[in-house]
Amino acid sequence: MLDRTASAHRLHGISCQSWRLAVETNNIKDWKTVPASCEDYVGHYMLGDRYRKDSKVVADEAIGYAKGVELGGDGKDAWVFDVDETILSNLPYYAQHGFGTTPYNASLFDAWVDLGKAPALPESLRLYKKLIALGVKVVFLTGRDEMRRKVTVLNLKRAGYLTWDKLILRGEDQKGQSAVVYKSGERKKLVEGGYRIIGNIGDQWSDILGSPEGDRTFKLPDPMYYIA
């Protein structure tokens, strides 16, 4: 569930660069929108080469780690990926909505998702392909509702994610759960089913917090929104 109800964060004598660092390190929490004064800064970051370079650092570290893991050989070594802003980019949508400076609108965002046109994040696609080549099972774990399975599958394949072991979407009975509760619960089911989660990656802290996190977690940059 997207938590967009907390009070909007305001800058108090700090730069947008410092605000983004605090957001990415989870020191500023429960914020609703990007400060209006930081729209240009966040836009330039997301559309420029810095976002790609920062994502590359994460992907390089993840690939280096994965190459050093001794797999069990039984097809149960898994890597969990979040979807939105982790493997698929909604930047075309957010570029039209102030890069997160405007309040979240579920209807507008869902309409964008239903187009099935979100592009791949290039560095995440590179990581995905390397994991497949290594023999790691890929699990996509998203906060999208189950009703959007068909369009999500279509979008994933359009973006170059052609195969996976599991695609987990939020069920009707999970809609009231926070992202941490929902995603950690689904990871627990994977472990109970015999999977070993060797890696876990997402753009939100709520994607990677909550036991079992996995053997190692990786956080991608995303200063546009916060999900509790």
Side-chain angles (χ1 to χ4, degrees):
M1 181 177 64
L2 299 184
D3 182 0
R4 313 287 190 170
T5 60
S7 298
H9 182 75
R10 297 180 182 277
L11 294 183
H12 295 289
I14 64 172
S15 67
C16 292
Q17 292 94 328
S18 294
W19 177 82
R20 183 174 69 84
L21 175 63
V23 162
E24 297 290 9
T25 53
N26 208 28
N27 289 318
I28 293 178
K29 303 180 180 183
D30 300 321
W31 50 279
K32 183 178 179 183
T33 60
V34 172
S37 59
C38 295
E39 178 178 354
D40 287 346
Y41 170 78
V42 172
H44 287 146
Y45 171 76
M46 297 300 298
L47 295 175
D49 64 355
R50 176 53 57 189
Y51 174 55
R52 175 72 181 267
K53 289 179 178 178
D54 289 349
S55 298
K56 183 178 185 302
V57 170
V58 180
D60 286 346
E61 287 295 314
I63 290 171
Y65 159 72
K67 289 168 67 175
V69 174
E70 184 176 349
L71 302 182
D74 57 359
K76 288 296 185 177
D77 295 292
W79 195 289
V80 177
F81 285 83
D82 169 53
V83 172
D84 293 298
E85 270 59 67
T86 297
I87 57 173
L88 295 179
S89 173
N90 298 301
L91 189 53
Y93 170 85
Y94 283 103
Q96 298 297 316
H97 294 85
F99 297 102
T101 59
T102 61
Y104 174 70
N105 185 304
S107 296
L108 291 177
F109 183 73
D110 288 347
W112 154 255
V113 168
D114 288 342
L115 295 175
K117 295 182 178 180
L121 275 81
E123 297 302 330
S124 296
L125 183 58
R126 180 168 65 92
L127 169 60
Y128 160 86
K129 289 180 177 180
K130 185 61 179 180
L131 292 172
I132 294 294
L134 290 171
V136 177
K137 298 299 184 181
V138 168
V139 175
F140 296 138
L141 173 55
T142 175
R144 294 184 179 192
D145 292 341
E146 178 64 37
M147 65 180 293
R148 289 191 162 76
R149 177 174 293 275
K150 184 176 180 180
V151 72
T152 300
V153 169
L154 174 64
N155 199 157
L156 288 170
K157 291 187 174 182
R158 279 178 173 172
Y161 302 96
L162 303 181
T163 185
W164 53 83
D165 206 53
K166 289 182 179 293
L167 170 59
I168 303 170
L169 296 95
R170 189 187 291 267
E172 187 68 28
D173 61 337
Q174 298 169 314
K175 286 188 176 181
Q177 295 178 351
S178 69
V180 171
V181 170
Y182 159 62
K183 293 198 169 186
S184 62
E186 291 299 326
R187 291 194 299 271
K188 183 178 180 181
K189 292 177 186 177
L190 289 171
V191 172
E192 290 174 344
Y195 286 92
R196 293 178 296 273
I197 302 175
I198 65 169
N200 179 14
I201 187 169
D203 66 293
Q204 300 288 316
W205 282 95
S206 54
D207 294 328
I208 58 179
L209 293 176
S211 180
E213 295 89 353
D215 292 344
R216 185 162 175 188
T217 60
F218 296 87
K219 168 72 169 63
L220 287 164
D222 181 5
M224 296 188 298
Y225 59 81
Y226 177 89
I227 300 177

